[in-house]
Amino acid sequence: MSAETRLDTPLTIAGRTYGSRLLVGTGKYRDFDETGRAVEASGAEIVTVAVRRSNIGQSPDEPSLLDVISPERYTLLPNTAGCFNARDAVRTCQLARELLDGHSLVKLEVLGDERTLYPNVIETVSAARSLIDDGFDVMVYTSDDPIVAAELESMGCCAVMPLGSLIGSGHGLLNPHSLSLIVEAAKVPILVDAGIGTPSDASLAMEMGCDGVLVNSAIAHARQPVMMASAMRKAVEAGREAWLAERMPRKTYAAEPSSPMAGRING
């Protein structure tokens, strides 16, 4: 694809378009006030909510996350964090739909191991199929396996979210080649989920052609979360522009020096 034809378009998920390609989580902050300020600084329009850990109406007498993250302003993305089988994940999404007045867009994650939080792809595929049959729009967290990603896309997931590295590890993109294969083959948005540790990690994912990234721990665990949220926003924007511009070819040697060689006096 030439630079002239690589024109930008908004991120489109389940028929809705977004100007920001950074998605952020709402867990692990000191309090709701810090959560709200970090989300604001990130510029994100899609905000994930762990239904099993955040109060979005289950406890009416307690402070609600929705007091600082307005559903009128942000697209809430209920997620199934903490679920280790398909049955629990499906029930969690159904609970979110009840709490959010029929909201159908969800982020599915089914974990396979408490130590690594690596996804259980067998249970993930099972849950995704059930949720799609039940009318949900499913964004799905999975491994960086191109075959699994293609299967999830073919069954109707509206976005596939391969890990960069383990959840909360901050190790960045450990297998960029596999991510590239997923991006190359995909017809739905590919968003890197899990493992982003620094703005440069987020920028690299975007430079590779990913459609977006989701970040939580790298912002919430920074010494200054609000400032880090702003840095992530800029990194995602820079990475997207770099992908659109297309990088220079890699060369083994400087065969074409930028300074003229003609006219040099030798000897």
Side-chain angles (χ1 to χ4, degrees), residues 152-196:
L152 291 166
E153 176 183 335
S154 69
M155 72 170 55
C157 291
C158 62
V160 176
M161 308 176 74
L163 56 77
S165 51
L166 297 181
I167 290 175
S169 69
H171 285 297
L173 311 184
L174 294 186
N175 197 342
H177 180 63
S178 286
L179 291 176
S180 294
L181 294 176
I182 293 172
V183 170
E184 180 182 4
K187 300 294 189 297
V188 298
I190 300 298
L191 302 99
V192 169
D193 183 6
I196 297 294

Side-chain angles (χ1 to χ4, degrees), residues 244-267:
L244 291 168
E246 298 189 59
R247 60 156 295 140
M248 63 166 285
R250 290 185 172 86
K251 300 176 182 178
T252 303
Y253 303 104
E256 298 176 6
S258 56
S259 299
M261 295 294 286
R264 291 184 63 182
I265 299 174
N266 298 316

Side-chain angles (χ1 to χ4, degrees), residues 119-148:
N120 182 326
V121 295
I122 297 173
E123 292 289 301
T124 298
V125 169
S126 174
R129 184 172 289 115
S130 296
L131 289 169
I132 292 168
D133 289 345
D134 196 18
F136 283 94
D137 296 309
V138 179
M139 301 173 67
V140 57
Y141 166 66
T142 185
S143 66
D144 57 7
D145 184 330
I147 304 303
V148 174

Side-chain angles (χ1 to χ4, degrees), residues 194-238:
I196 297 294
T198 66
S200 59
D201 295 333
S203 187
L204 176 58
M206 299 306 296
E207 289 176 29
M208 292 168 52
C210 293
D211 297 283
V213 298
L214 192 156
V215 184
N216 189 176
S217 298
I219 297 175
H221 287 175
R223 187 181 297 275
Q224 298 191 50
V226 177
M227 184 180 294
M228 184 59 80
S230 174
M232 288 291 181
R233 174 182 188 166
K234 296 164 187 169
V236 168
E237 292 172 353

